[in-house]
C-alpha cells in the first residue's frame, strides 16, 4: 500500500470521559436561537471571563488587605478599590467590548450604560449584580454574581437605545445565571432549556459541566431567611415560618442563612427548601432588586422545577417601572412553594 492510500485510523476508545466546558455548552445551546451565529456565546464568554477575574480577586481578598492597607493610594494616586467596584468594572470591561451588547445595567451604576446601542449587531441588554453579599468578603464567607440577559425591545437595532428598554418582565430573559465564589466557584445558567451548573477548574481556568439539568428536590430540609425581620414581616410570612418550624407542613425544618442570596439560592436549588426575603415594616418591598437579583434567580429556579413569587404573583410576570426597584422574594421547591401559596391565599 502506498503512503497516500493508508486508511485513517479510528481514534482509540478514550480512557477519560471528555469534559464539557461552559463555552461548548453555550455553543450547543445557541443553535436553538434562529439567526444567532456565535454572538451569544461570545457575549456569555464576557461574563465567564469577568467572573474568573472576580474569583481570582476574591481568592486573594484577605491577602490584598494584609498587603495593602485600606484607604491606601496606588501608583496612579487612586484609592484602593473595593471588591464590588472591582467586580463591576471587570463585567463592564468584558461586556462593553462585545458588539452584541447594546446596553449594560448594574447595581453599582445609577443609570444604564451605553455599550454598542444603535449598532445593527447590538441586540442584547445585560443587567447584573457584580458582587452579591459583599459584606461576607471581610469574614471569608461566600459571595456571588447574578446576571440577566434581555433582548432590545425594538427590532430596529439602528435606533438609539433607550434606558427604558431594560424595564422588561423577567419572563423575557433570554438567559440568566449566577456565580457563587465559595469553597469552589460555580456558575449556574439557563438559556431557557434547563438549568446547568459548571464548576471552575482552577488548574485550567475553565468552567466544566458538573451539574447538568439541575432539578430542585420536591422538598428540602431548610428554610433560609434573615429571621431578625420576622416580627416586622406581614402575617403570612410569620405564619409560614412558624409552620415550617413546627412540622405542620409535613416535616420540621431547620434554617440556614449565608446572607449572600446567590449562595443561599444555590443551596436551595441543590438541596431543596425555600428562601425568603420578606417585606418589612420599614422596607415595604424588602431589599432585593427585581431586575438583577430576583429575576435571574426566579428564571433559574423555574427552569429547575421550582417557583418564585413576591407574595402576590409570579416574579417573572412583574412589569418593572424602575431599574433598581426592589421586590419581596419567596423562592423554592414545589412543596414549600405550594404551602406558601396556600397560606397566602387563605389570608386574602
Ligand atoms: P449586595 O451585597 O449585592 O448588596 O446584596 C446583599 C443582599 C443579598 O445577597 C442577601 O440575601 C441580603 O442582601 C442580605 O441582607 P440582610 O443582611 O438584610 O439579611
Ligand atoms: Mn446583591
Ligand atoms: Mn452587589
Amino acid at each position: 500500500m502506498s503512503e497516500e492510500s493508508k486508511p485513517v485510523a479510528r481514534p482509540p476508545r478514550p480512557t477519560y470521559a471528555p469534559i464539557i466546558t461552559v463555552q461548548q455548552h453555550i455553543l450547543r445551546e445557541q443553535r436553538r436561537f434562529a439567526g444567532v451565529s456565535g454572538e451569544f456565546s461570545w457575549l456569555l464568554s464576557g461574563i465567564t471571563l469577568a467572573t474568573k477575574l472576580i474569583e481570582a480577586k476574591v481568592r486573594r481578598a484577605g491577602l490584598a488587605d494584609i498587603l495593602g492597607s485600606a484607604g491606601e493610594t496606588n501608583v496612579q494616586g487612586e484609592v484602593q478599590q473595593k471588591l464590588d467596584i472591582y467586580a463591576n468594572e471587570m463585567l463592564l470591561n468584558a461586556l462593553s467590548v462585545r458588539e452584541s451588547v447594546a446596553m449594560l445595567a448594574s447595581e453599582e451604576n445609577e443609570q444604564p450604560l451605553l455599550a454598542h446601542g444603535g449598532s445593527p449587531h447590538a441586540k442584547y441588554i445585560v443587567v447584573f449584580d457584580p458582587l452579591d453579599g459583599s459584606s461576607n468578603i471581610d469574614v471569608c464567607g461566600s459571595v456571588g454574581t447574578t446576571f440577566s440577559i434581555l433582548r432590545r425591545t425594538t427590532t430596529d437595532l439602528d435606533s438609539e437605545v433607550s434606558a427604558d428598554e431594560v424595564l422588561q418582565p423577567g419572563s423575557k430573559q433570554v438567559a440568566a445565571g449566577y456565580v457563587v465564589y465559595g469553597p469552589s466557584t460555580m456558575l449556574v445558567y439557563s438559556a431557557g432549556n434547563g438549568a446547568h451548573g459548571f464548576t471552575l477548574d482552577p488548574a485550567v481556568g475553565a468552567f466544566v459541566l458538573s451539574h447538568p439539568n439541575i432539578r430542585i428536590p420536591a422538598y428540602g430540609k431548610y428554610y433560609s431567611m434573615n429571621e431578625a425581620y420576622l416580627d416586622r414581616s406581614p402575617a403570612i410570612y410569620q405564619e409560614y415560618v412558624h409552620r415550617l418550624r413546627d412540622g405542620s407542613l409535613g416535616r420540621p425544618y431547620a434554617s440556614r442563612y449565608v446572607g449572600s442570596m446567590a449562595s443561599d439560592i444555590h443551596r436551595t436549588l441543590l438541596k431543596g427548601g425555600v428562601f425568603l426575603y420578606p417585606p418589612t415594616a420599614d422596607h415595604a418591598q424588602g431589599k432585593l432588586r427585581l431586575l438583577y437579583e430576583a429575576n435571574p434567580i426566579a428564571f433559574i429556579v423555574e427552569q429547575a422545577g421550582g417557583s418564585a413569587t413576591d407574595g402576590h404573583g409570579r416574579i417573572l410576570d412583574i412589569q418593572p417601572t424602575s431599574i433598581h426597584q426592589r421586590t419581596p422574594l419567596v423562592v423554592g421547591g414545589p412543596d414549600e412553594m405550594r404551602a406558601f401559596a396556600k397560606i397566602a391565599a387563605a389570608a386574602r
Side-chain angles (χ1 to χ4, degrees), residues 231-272:
D231 294 349
R232 281 171 278 155
S233 305
I236 54 166
Y237 288 86
Q238 300 193 20
E239 184 185 344
Y240 183 54
V241 171
H242 288 137
R243 296 197 54 195
L244 286 164
R245 289 174 186 161
D246 70 16
S248 64
L249 296 178
R251 64 203 71 83
Y253 283 78
S255 79
R256 292 283 186 277
Y257 193 68
V258 174
S260 155
M261 180 198 62
S263 315
D264 281 313
I265 291 295
H266 189 58
R267 180 193 55 254
T268 307
L269 192 67
L270 297 185
K271 301 287 185 192

Side-chain angles (χ1 to χ4, degrees), residues 3 7 78 108 121 201 249 298 336:
E3 216 27 62
E78 297 159 333
E108 302 297 333
H121 307 292
D201 181 338
L249 296 178
E336 288 83 8

Side-chain angles (χ1 to χ4, degrees), residues 55 58-59 140-144 179-186 258 263 266:
E55 102 94 21
V58 165
R59 296 282 166 242
C140 205
S142 52
V143 288
V179 174
V180 174
Y181 312 95
S184 61
T185 295
M186 265 200 78
V258 174
S263 315
H266 189 58

Side-chain angles (χ1 to χ4, degrees), residues 175-255:
Y178 65 80
V179 174
V180 174
Y181 312 95
S184 61
T185 295
M186 265 200 78
L187 164 77
V188 176
Y189 96 101
S190 174
N193 189 28
H196 311 284
F198 300 79
T199 304
L200 183 67
D201 181 338
V204 294
F207 281 106
V208 177
L209 183 63
S210 51
H211 297 64
N213 284 312
I214 298 170
R215 303 303 296 167
I216 190 166
Y219 60 87
K221 283 194 217 160
Y222 304 122
Y223 69 91
S224 185
M225 129 172 215
N226 188 333
E227 301 198 49
Y229 307 144
L230 192 60
D231 294 349
R232 281 171 278 155
S233 305
I236 54 166
Y237 288 86
Q238 300 193 20
E239 184 185 344
Y240 183 54
V241 171
H242 288 137
R243 296 197 54 195
L244 286 164
R245 289 174 186 161
D246 70 16
S248 64
L249 296 178
R251 64 203 71 83
Y253 283 78
S255 79

